[in-house]
């Protein structure tokens, strides 16, 4: 009974969510786009000509936003390269190179290398989150593991001047993640966009300028 009530409350909140309505109106696949939009507008992360990788990109709203930012003014194509990776399938987005698979696997990395064609990446985005169990210690470990993967990926592929934006959660394990970011990046900023639900402990960490690039 409680679960049904919770589900009904969630559906009610979701239907009446202004960001959900705005996303539907503007043709975005998820309300999450407005989190990236707010951070991008504050930090000026996305610029024409960049190589941008979107980890855990499905359903694709972040890739849609990046595509719109890199679109050529005259129409037709983008100025830059957008690569989305996810283990789940994604409906195609014009001018976005989508690679389905686990980016820890060599085969997937080989596909990425082909698209990147020897260039270093300007920006890595990760809105990935694990399936949460409700057990704080377990969930903290899962979140930290995903962020470790994004950090490793960035170490290998980012330009020295590049940036990494990841989703994480305040609470158990957050201080360790923050410390890892400070070890890797010269500038580290925590962001809580307005589109993040008030009840959520979700926050975003932005790391800029690698300390030790490969």
């Amino acid at each position: 009974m409680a679960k049904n009530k919770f589900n009904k409350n969630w559906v009610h909140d979701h239907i009446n969510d202004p960001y959900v309505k705005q996303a539907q109106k503007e043709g975005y696949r998820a309300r999450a786009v407005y989190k990236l939009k707010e951070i991008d507008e504050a930090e000026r992360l996305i610029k024409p000509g960049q190589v941008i990788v979107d980890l855990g990109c499905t359903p694709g709203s972040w890739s849609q936003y990046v595509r719109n930012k890199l679109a050529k003014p005259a129409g037709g194509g983008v100025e830059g390269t957008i690569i989305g990776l996810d283990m789940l399938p994604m409906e195609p987005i014009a001018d976005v190179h989508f690679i389905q698979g686990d980016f820890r696997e060599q085969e997937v990395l080989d596909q990425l290398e082909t698209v990147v064609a020897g260039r270093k990446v300007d920006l890595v985005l990760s809105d990935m989150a694990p399936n949460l169990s409700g057990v704080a210690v377990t969930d903290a470990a899962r979140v930290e593991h995903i962020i470790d993967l994004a950090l490793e990926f960035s170490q290998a592929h980012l330009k020295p001047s590049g940036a990494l934006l990841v989703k994480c959660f305040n609470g158990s394990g957050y201080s360790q993640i923050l410390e890892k970011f400070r070890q890797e990046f010269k500038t580290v900023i925590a962001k809580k966009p307005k589109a993040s639900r008030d009840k959520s402990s979700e926050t975003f960490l932005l790391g800029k300028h690698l300390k030790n690039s490969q």
Side-chain angles (χ1 to χ4, degrees), residues 51-53 81 83 97 99 109-121 153 157:
V51 178
I52 297 174
V53 175
T81 303
I83 306 157
H97 302 272
I99 300 168
L109 284 175
D110 289 345
Q111 290 181 60
L112 175 67
E113 300 289 355
T114 302
V115 180
V116 171
R119 296 167 296 170
K120 285 283 190 181
V121 175
F153 183 88
H157 297 282

Side-chain angles (χ1 to χ4, degrees), residues 28 31 68 91 104-105 112 128 133 143 154 160 162 191:
Y28 285 111
R31 70 189 296 288
N68 289 344
E91 288 289 322
R104 291 169 295 181
E105 292 176 3
L112 175 67
M128 291 189 293
S133 65
V143 169
S154 299
K191 293 278 188 181

